[in-house]
Amino acid sequence: MAGGKDRAAVEKILEAAAADRRTSLTAPEGRQICEAYGIPTPRECLATSAEEAVRQAREIGLPVVLKIVSPDIPHKTDAGGVLVGLDTEEKVAEGYARIIENARAYRADAHVVGVQVQRMLTGGQEVIIGAVTDPTFGKVVAFGLGGVLVEVLKDITFRLAPTSAEEALSMIDGIAAAEVLRGVRGAEPADREALAGIVHALGELVTDFPRLAEVDLNPVLATATGATAVDVRILLDPDAAKEPVRFSREEILMAMNRIMKPTSIAVIGASAETGKIGNSVLKNLVGGGYAGEIFPINPKAAEILDRKAYASIADVPSNVDVAVFAIPAKFVPAALEEAGRKGVAGAILIPSGFGETGNVALQDEVVAIAREHGVRVLGPNIYGYYYTPENLSATFCTPYDVKGGVALSSQSGGIGMAILGFSRSAKMGVSAIVGVGNKADIDEDDLLTFFEHDENTELIAMHLEDLKDGRSFAETAKRVSARKPVVVLKAGRTSQGARAASSHTGALAGNDKVYDDILRQSGVIRAPGLNDMLEYARGIPLLPAPTGENVVIITGAGGSGVLLSDACVDNGLKLMEIPPDLDTAFRKYIPPFGAAGNPVDITGGEPPSTYRDTIALGLADERIHALILGYWHTIVTPPMVFAKLVSEVVGEYREKGIEKPVVASLSGDVEVEEASEYLYRNGVVAYPYTTEKPVAVLGAKYRWARSAGLVG
Amino acid sequence: MAGGKDRAAVEKILEAAAADRRTSLTAPEGRQICEAYGIPTPRECLATSAEEAVRQAREIGLPVVLKIVSPDIPHKTDAGGVLVGLDTEEKVAEGYARIIENARAYRADAHVVGVQVQRMLTGGQEVIIGAVTDPTFGKVVAFGLGGVLVEVLKDITFRLAPTSAEEALSMIDGIAAAEVLRGVRGAEPADREALAGIVHALGELVTDFPRLAEVDLNPVLATATGATAVDVRILLDPDAAKEPVRFSREEILMAMNRIMKPTSIAVIGASAETGKIGNSVLKNLVGGGYAGEIFPINPKAAEILDRKAYASIADVPSNVDVAVFAIPAKFVPAALEEAGRKGVAGAILIPSGFGETGNVALQDEVVAIAREHGVRVLGPNIYGYYYTPENLSATFCTPYDVKGGVALSSQSGGIGMAILGFSRSAKMGVSAIVGVGNKADIDEDDLLTFFEHDENTELIAMHLEDLKDGRSFAETAKRVSARKPVVVLKAGRTSQGARAASSHTGALAGNDKVYDDILRQSGVIRAPGLNDMLEYARGIPLLPAPTGENVVIITGAGGSGVLLSDACVDNGLKLMEIPPDLDTAFRKYIPPFGAAGNPVDITGGEPPSTYRDTIALGLADERIHALILGYWHTIVTPPMVFAKLVSEVVGEYREKGIEKPVVASLSGDVEVEEASEYLYRNGVVAYPYTTEKPVAVLGAKYRWARSAGLVG
């Protein structure tokens, strides 16, 4: 595409369309726009008489396609406005007359510009390439095979526009039926680079001209030596893709640092009365061990929980970083006004009664006040937030004190409580838990940016139902996930249903596939469910990043080996093909009827030394990158003996500087529960009674490591 | 197909092929066989000269297809032996000469029978219909769309042959791209009945003639008014589909009843020495509380664990139903001989060292001895078995005593231990746990038949890696699952890889899809993983069967509601469209900013009465068939308050005779764990920190209820 952009040509066409207040372009206009951006289209002319059509057909070469050109007939086929395969001059002449007649019959007052005479291409593979303006992500491009595959099976893939050349090529390979383009049944492979070139050019086109709301290149015909957009359909919307307000990274960090690591906090609506939110928040701040200053704000009390209370935040004698609002919604604007004048960095709006109950005006008012004073707002409609490095529990829930590297956020309060309960139960080390609620202001972007730079955070896990600014999220997540794993639970996967859409691509974009593709493009690990998100968050930071794809299963139970292999396939993990010398080395330790290969089946009745020796070999051999252990409870090697020997041998190699991810599935009587916990505490992600979970966590770690470029 | 079977015609062709020792049929032979079973094929003739080909083409009507007919050229296209679209007599004459020439060039010594002249069909939808002889299931039929859909996306479905007419139709609707056949993009719908007719006829054909090892009808061309098998390819194998040995239901029940409910048990190799298997087994029988007689067998002891020991089972003074073998493999044949003469019903072979270590001969010898004496063999290579109604723990593992209606079996010892541990940890009521190991004799069919008639068993859950006789299993499972849910964890889903296969259908059958389709056809609930199998086994019997598809979510946490809705879609559950009067009724109980509709969002801060009233309404309204509850931990309604109120209201309605499945997802701090257990004990399938599991269990219950015909 380099050097092939004729912006002026596009601008001219768009101006003409705007002058006519049109919401779509004609096919010839579409074709000209494509050509202006180097997207090949078939040879064609516009005829305004049958004679002209015949002459043009002769020049272009038979067979040809005739298509009505009229701004009033967007769906040409429905109007009998398309004739294909006209291979004699007589047929072209007849066809011209018929099309004009059909158009008149379809809509008598239609303005008919003429008839497009187009070289008919035959052979090759039909694909669809499109672009739409997604309400969450803005301009996205789409790629799929033509016909039934995209129509019925929805086999289509999306990326943020514009794509890099590499991303465009990843789309061509990213559909389920990608194999078709590599040539099946002896067909010639399609020119994938040419297709990627069109995707890339289309992405640039819609980015350069946001008014191009939806573009369908359908079909694009791909042969072994090129690709041509046979039909072009473009819808216009001058309001498409408005840019949302964005803060700079510096602005975000400045505010978020004061919010997450405040030197002082005011509780507006602090109360001495047990059961009140303003009482719980104050208690949790004090009881949680927060070392900064705490100022209860309450006009009716002089002292609350042994702390001097102030009638207004304005009366507080020192600076205040954060104001937690524990007052009814209707009192928030006035109090926020005062907090803003006081210069707080963050307003934590716990109360509900804003956008979520339909009171959008009140929420907008609050945001306007905050903007005026440079205050960032968390919430409203939240449980608050935790930041454990500061012993900060600014919430009406119970404090949390198991410190560690996992930062979590949730859009829903209920999910926040599940995060809290799971974390406490699993003794998960947490840096932060943040409720974002209605996301009137602070959203996942702000949190990602803070956690990216937060030395106390190793992994970020987020529950979200929507994104205010999907494009910004995708870009931020891409940057952050290159350094720290980002796990996302996207709720509402299945509820979007079909959006009303006029273009083909638009209709196909109305499902979860856009989220799925773009989250993957951003390096995000998408969790299929709540429990998966929590288990990924807990397990991923414990595992060292793998440096290669060779996974080996070592199992005492052949049955577990089979199920663990299934789980590897489900999670995109590659079972190493064991080379002969390594096979021999494993066989030295296992009984003659055991099976080397992969899984390495050491058989059930083996003593601890067999587990130990084979695991040590798996850690020592440089060609192996990750281990999955299948334990079978026996009298010879009881669960805790297994747990201790595994922890020891993994620890020994870690001390030698050899770090590989090791996960374990424990089959046995209830003692395997304690053994699994012991292993987990020692850096081996282990579960009882399941072969799926440990492999899923390893698979999630691999997905991140691959996207972060760590897997060789 | 009624009346349309000409068996003699088929027999004649097969005899001719057998006389030539051919392993495949020619296309004209294939076509004749199809016609003999009423499968339409295009008009065609066999020409042996160019002149004859032209004359025939004139009769049949142009355009025609020419195809080489030679038993030495199975892959006609590769040999340049197919020419399509010949639409003039000249082209037919030329084509004849070219095909003969190509055949000679391809293989000079090929025996050329002639050239098939076939009417060329155009238009319509290409599909593939086939039949293969599956190593597990015997004759199966396959249906898929033609071209890339089946080739690349493996969109194909299988059934046991012969199918009923209804099953054949379910195949046409059972592929992912089924919509294509109903007509997309304005295409006419295909004649689904005609396609089903061909599937049905093909199933009968391969059942009547087992020698037809593989049949490809590819493509079959389906139009709006019929379907025609355009190309037929048939491979022969006289050894295809040998019938395995089968016992009658009466024989199975007679033996299994004596094995599962024995009046006396001998332990061959009983030992006084702790750590020996023969010691553990005896201890568990005694300590587990088994009330029948127990006879230790050991030539070197007079008494073991205070019980008189016998040198040989022959010396035991009374009848013996079961002999548990706790001796090395090599001693088994002699001891089994004695046990056989003693008239035991079942030999429980704990030792390993048989087929699983390659010692197939020893295993065959043991089976032969057992057959001779009418003894059924469980194992070898197993942990033994439990049957709790008899307090029977015939195993070297620890006893199990939580009685209940779940019967479980496992092919692997490791998985058996996971079953034991999970059951104990979850306090799951179990009737039996059975290790089947190498399945030298007793297999899942025998167990299913016993559990079907066992009044102590409500649900059967089986881990299996293969089936000895898949057809028998499918038939038995179909019968049993109509009465009791059968859950199957099929391990090795992904490891089968591609079998060597000569036909198109054969290649496509070499994957897990055959298992998947046939298990579904049998009414089996397939669990995706080990933990799912265990959770389904635990939860399904607790839930009453739903009588309709209307599922309602009642949630305190909007966030849980969204995730629970996602889970409903994932699990094939239908969220009820709430009619206006019911909506009004729900609204009466929930705050004005709560959302009725479905999920019914009662919002977070509500008191116990709101949960109670809305759940009671959900139980009372006859239009609602199942409830999913989303709980959000608050001070107003703490976890145990929620658990008790739900248990109460469900119990009240149950007493009134209103039984609906109710499942719950609990979001909150660690107290939700106790609350979930309380709910589970009271018949509400509840889990903390997950929105997926409760819905998955409800979904599994629905799958069973639908296949058992209970959902109206």
Side-chain angles (χ1 to χ4, degrees), chain B residues 80-147:
Chain B
V82 179
L83 292 174
V84 302
L86 307 179
D87 53 4
T88 67
E89 296 187 7
E90 296 72 47
K91 286 184 188 166
V92 173
E94 272 168 38
Y96 183 94
R98 180 138 47 102
I99 279 187
I100 297 291
E101 196 176 310
N102 288 347
R104 291 280 163 246
Y106 182 73
R107 192 168 152 186
D109 65 342
H111 168 56
V112 173
V113 179
V115 170
Q116 199 177 6
V117 181
Q118 194 178 66
R119 168 78 188 185
M120 184 167 166
L121 299 174
T122 51
Q125 176 66 48
E126 279 193 17
V127 308
I128 176 171
I129 297 175
V132 292
T133 311
D134 184 87
T136 301
F137 294 102
K139 297 297 183 192
V140 300
V141 286
F143 175 79
L145 291 196

Side-chain angles (χ1 to χ4, degrees), chain A residues 148 180 425 493 530 673 692, chain B residues 148 180 425 530 570 673 692:
Chain A
V148 70
V180 171
S425 181
R493 273 185 294 125
L530 173 58
E673 296 177 22
E692 301 83 35
Chain B
V148 71
V180 172
S425 181
L530 173 57
D570 289 343
E673 295 178 22
E692 302 83 34

